[in-house]
């Protein structure tokens, strides 16, 4: 589905593009890759962004089929786009029927603010309400994006303050913690709102404590992720090893590597 510019960027930045294409075809091959990396479970991020990246709502059926290989280890993340849905309620019900375990909203690639429901984009409110009622977390990309056509003003996490207030039971995951421009905003929101979590994917683990020096304070709501195979993330196992070598107490690492995610998606 990749648009030519986005595909070119992926290919230029990834030495092992063919291997990743193979993993997209074969969940078995990907599960073996996870075994080698020492990873038990993975959330597989998909989102609908026809304008900037090329992804259509077809990603949802794709990922629902993909995770059937091992639904315990592979968790599906799907998506919908307020401007690319004829009937958002019907599409949301279809997502729930597919058993999608998380919804991703990608403001810089979907070209919207997460709180645009306050300005008439009622579809967003319907998505959040349904996710909230069904216990499905919503992950928001926060921070910048280098893909051609991405608009980075949408990546400021401050707009999620409204969402956290208006949907208090909705689990909100801040992907990438606002990296690299808005880490302080992200840290504030996580401390301010009981329903806001930090996903450390996309933050090089070696720089994690520079960006979040008080990480231990929010460990109970922080979860490990990599953003692999995003253009800036060479290897899953390397991220895990780098995280393990951080000067953090063992129980804090265990919380971030395992327990926070298990609380959201019990095994
Ligand atoms: Zn992202």
């Amino acid at each position: 589905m990749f648009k030519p510019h986005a595909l070119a960027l992926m290919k230029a930045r990834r030495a092992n593009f063919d291997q990743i294409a193979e993993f997209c075809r074969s969940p078995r091959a990907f599960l073996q890759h996870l075994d080698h990396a020492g990873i038990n479970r993975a959330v597989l991020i998909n989102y609908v962004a026809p304008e900037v990246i090329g992804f259509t709502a077809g990603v949802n059926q794709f990922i629902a089929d993909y995770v059937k290989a091992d639904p315990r280890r592979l968790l599906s993340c799907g998506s919908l786009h307020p401007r690319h849905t004829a009937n958002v309620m019907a599409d949301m019900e279809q997502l729930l029927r597919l058993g999608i375990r998380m919804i991703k909203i990608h403001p810089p690639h979907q070209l919207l603010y997460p709180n645009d429901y306050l300005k008439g984009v009622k579809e967003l409110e319907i998505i959040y309400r349904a996710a909230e009622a069904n216990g499905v977390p919503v992950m928001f990309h926060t921070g910048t994006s280098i893909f051609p056509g991405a608009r980075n003003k949408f990546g400021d996490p401050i707009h999620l303050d409204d969402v956290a207030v208006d949907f208090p039971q909705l689990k909100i995951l801040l992907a990438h913690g606002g990296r690299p421009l808005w880490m302080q905003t992200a840290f504030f929101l996580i401390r301010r709102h009981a329903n806001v979590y930090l996903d450390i994917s996309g933050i090089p683990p070696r720089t994690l404590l520079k960006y979040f020096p008080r990480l231990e304070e929010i460990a109970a709501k922080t979860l490990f992720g990599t953003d692999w195979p995003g253009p800036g993330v060479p290897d899953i196992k390397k991220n895990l090893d780098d995280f393990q070598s951080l000067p953090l107490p063992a129980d804090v690492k265990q919380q971030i590597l395992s327990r926070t995610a298990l609380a959201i998606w019990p095994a």
Side-chain angles (χ1 to χ4, degrees), residues 40-46 67 70-78 96 99-104 131 134-140 170-175 195-201 220-226 255-267:
N40 188 4
R41 304 168 85 200
V43 181
L44 307 175
I45 306 295
N46 296 274
V67 301
D70 192 338
R72 191 188 64 80
R73 297 185 64 191
L74 303 175
L75 305 181
S76 56
C77 172
L96 295 169
I100 295 291
R101 308 290 297 275
M102 184 168 82
I103 290 169
K104 172 113 182 200
N134 288 278
V136 176
V138 179
M139 169 179 273
F140 293 86
L170 177 66
K171 285 195 174 74
I172 296 168
L173 279 64
L174 304 187
N195 55 333
V196 176
Y197 294 71
L198 171 64
D199 155 51
I200 64 169
S201 75
K221 291 202 293 170
T222 298
L223 60 164
F224 179 84
T226 62
Q255 177 71 42
I256 293 171
L257 286 172
S258 177
R259 287 202 296 271
T260 304
L262 282 169
I264 298 174
W265 303 280

Side-chain angles (χ1 to χ4, degrees), residues 178-238:
R179 178 182 178 262
L181 301 180
W182 299 293
M183 318 299 265
Q184 283 188 318
T185 305
F187 185 69
F188 168 78
L189 292 172
I190 293 154
R191 293 182 72 231
R192 163 74 182 83
H193 298 292
N195 55 333
V196 176
Y197 294 71
L198 171 64
D199 155 51
I200 64 169
S201 75
I203 306 171
R206 285 170 189 280
T207 66
L208 182 59
L209 292 175
K210 182 180 73 116
Y211 284 127
F212 288 98
R214 292 162 67 192
L215 186 68
E216 281 188 59
E217 288 178 40
I218 54 169
K221 291 202 293 170
T222 298
L223 60 164
F224 179 84
T226 62
D227 210 26
W228 184 93
V233 187
D235 186 57
I236 296 173
K237 183 165 178 6
K238 172 96 169 54

Side-chain angles (χ1 to χ4, degrees), residues 120-135:
V121 184
K122 288 292 167 201
E123 290 86 354
L124 272 177
E125 186 173 347
I126 290 165
I127 292 166
Y128 300 156
R129 278 278 170 252
E132 185 180 44
N134 288 278

Side-chain angles (χ1 to χ4, degrees), residues 78-178:
S79 172
L80 56 182
H81 191 303
R83 292 192 303 273
H84 296 273
T85 170
N87 182 337
V88 70
M89 199 63 228
D91 285 354
M92 194 62 202
E93 282 166 3
Q94 172 65 5
L95 275 192
L96 295 169
R97 265 197 302 277
L98 287 172
I100 295 291
R101 308 290 297 275
M102 184 168 82
I103 290 169
K104 172 113 182 200
I105 299 286
H106 198 309
H109 291 178
Q110 294 186 318
L111 307 177
L112 50 79
Y113 288 107
N115 59 352
D116 272 350
Y117 60 89
L118 295 172
K119 295 185 183 135
V121 184
K122 288 292 167 201
E123 290 86 354
L124 272 177
E125 186 173 347
I126 290 165
I127 292 166
Y128 300 156
R129 278 278 170 252
E132 185 180 44
N134 288 278
V136 176
V138 179
M139 169 179 273
F140 293 86
H141 176 103
T142 63
T144 55
S145 165
I146 57 165
F147 276 96
R151 294 188 187 264
N152 286 297
K153 66 182 175 185
F154 297 117
D156 187 339
I158 195 64
H159 307 287
L160 286 160
D161 188 52
D162 284 325
V163 184
V165 169
D166 293 334
F167 305 89
Q169 303 306 318
L170 177 66
K171 285 195 174 74
I172 296 168
L173 279 64
L174 304 187
H176 330 310

